[in-house]
Amino acid sequence: MPGKHQHFQEPEVGCCGKYFLFGFNIVFWVLGALFLAIGLWAWGEKGVLSNISALTDLGGLDPVWLFVVVGGVMSVLGFAGCIGALRENTFLLKFFSVFLGLIFFLELATGILAFVFKDWIRDQLNLFINNNVKAYRDDIDLQNLIDFAQEYWSCCGARGPNDWNLNIYFNCTDLNPSRERCGVPFSCCVRDPAEDVLNTQCGYDVRLKLELEQQGFIHTKGCVGQFEKWLQDNLIVVAGVFVGIALLQIFGICLAQNLVSDIKAVKANWSKWNDDFENHWLTPTVSEVLSTAGPQQNSVIGAPGLAPPS
């Protein structure tokens, strides 16, 4: 047996990075599951889960899609990062890094394209809002979303109040029997701070008035222009939010890759140590074989022309 004991120094997986990644992703996982549960609950309340074709019947955007998609992505990412860090699973950690990196590059490409093709983005935004204006009364969640946007940005329609002619309840055609004919939703109205009760009929017949008269009752600016103005006024805040999200994603990718490197280093060192252990401790030398054999076996082995017994 070798007389000198070999000291084995084992590389360690960084506990701080491991448990920070685990803690961050478990919060991310729980939030994603909560978003997904809210989305599925909203679909259940609207009967979508029992009638899947209802998803394609709506002409505009169903806001519940945002909860389902965002919640699903957050749940998958959170699960991969959380379990991968806790169990030191390199496959899940690599999946987490690649998925997060893909999202980062999609965000980056979207930002660049939006800056380069501003006019095209504006036209698509107009088209998107007008499609949702058409479906205003078809879905209560979409209706609430449009009302929130028009109240928050003090706007009406995509380009102006006349965009509500696209909706069958608000258009000004003679064949329209609706009481809301030539009107706009209450969210277009200029609110009186002294009013304690919301007047939901404030937009009735308002588009029968002249444009100058309309300004005293409703907001006449379009939501696309108001949104662009809001972006310009809050450019630093918006840019700060996007940069913060990007840095958080890069930090998560680096943390996961560092953990993968530590795990691979530990596995490689253990493999090398096992090979050394087998070579130096488990394989006997010739002198050890001869010393353990009896004198008769030594003489037989050493005799010329004779082979040891099998």
Side-chain angles (χ1 to χ4, degrees), residues 40-248:
L40 294 177
W41 171 80
W43 270 349
E45 288 293 310
K46 294 193 292 186
V48 173
L49 297 181
S50 59
N51 182 20
I52 302 299
S53 62
L55 290 174
T56 58
D57 292 341
L58 181 63
L61 170 70
D62 186 353
V64 178
W65 270 111
L66 299 176
F67 284 91
V68 174
V69 173
V70 172
V73 171
M74 288 177 65
S75 297
V76 171
L77 273 177
F79 172 82
C82 179
I83 303 301
L86 184 64
R87 302 298 300 170
E88 297 181 4
N89 188 304
T90 55
F91 173 78
L92 288 177
L93 289 172
K94 288 179 180 178
F95 174 81
F96 172 81
S97 300
V98 172
F99 199 0
L100 198 59
L102 181 62
I103 294 174
F104 171 76
F105 283 111
L106 285 176
E107 293 170 349
L108 185 63
T110 301
I112 294 174
L113 291 176
F115 180 78
V116 174
F117 301 102
K118 289 185 290 186
D119 294 336
W120 182 81
I121 294 295
R122 186 183 296 109
D123 293 338
Q124 293 302 310
L125 187 58
N126 279 320
L127 181 62
F128 173 76
I129 294 176
N130 285 334
N131 285 335
N132 287 285
V133 163
K134 294 177 184 178
Y136 176 76
R137 292 295 190 199
D138 297 343
D139 184 81
I140 186 62
D141 294 323
L142 175 61
Q143 181 176 316
N144 291 333
L145 180 63
I146 293 175
D147 287 335
F148 169 78
Q150 292 190 144
E151 287 182 333
Y152 185 78
W153 282 301
S154 300
C155 59
C156 190
R159 294 186 175 90
N162 287 331
D163 287 336
W164 284 98
N165 272 327
L166 297 171
N167 187 278
I168 60 174
Y169 299 98
F170 295 97
N171 68 60
C172 284
T173 59
D174 295 334
L175 298 177
N176 182 10
S178 172
R179 179 63 187 86
E180 296 175 313
R181 176 180 174 273
C182 283
V184 292
F186 71 92
S187 53
C188 288
C189 296
V190 177
R191 294 288 301 275
D192 185 356
E195 286 185 353
D196 295 330
V197 180
L198 178 64
N199 180 11
T200 57
Q201 299 179 359
C202 59
Y204 284 11
D205 302 323
V206 71
R207 286 190 294 120
L208 294 174
K209 304 177 185 294
L210 296 176
E211 185 174 349
L212 291 178
E213 295 178 355
Q214 292 178 15
Q215 295 178 4
F217 298 93
I218 61 173
H219 303 292
T220 56
K221 294 181 179 179
C223 290
V224 174
Q226 290 295 91
F227 177 68
E228 291 178 344
K229 182 178 180 297
W230 178 84
L231 280 180
Q232 294 173 358
D233 294 341
N234 299 274
L235 185 60
I236 296 177
V237 176
V238 174
V241 170
F242 277 99
V243 170
I245 292 174
L247 291 177
L248 199 61

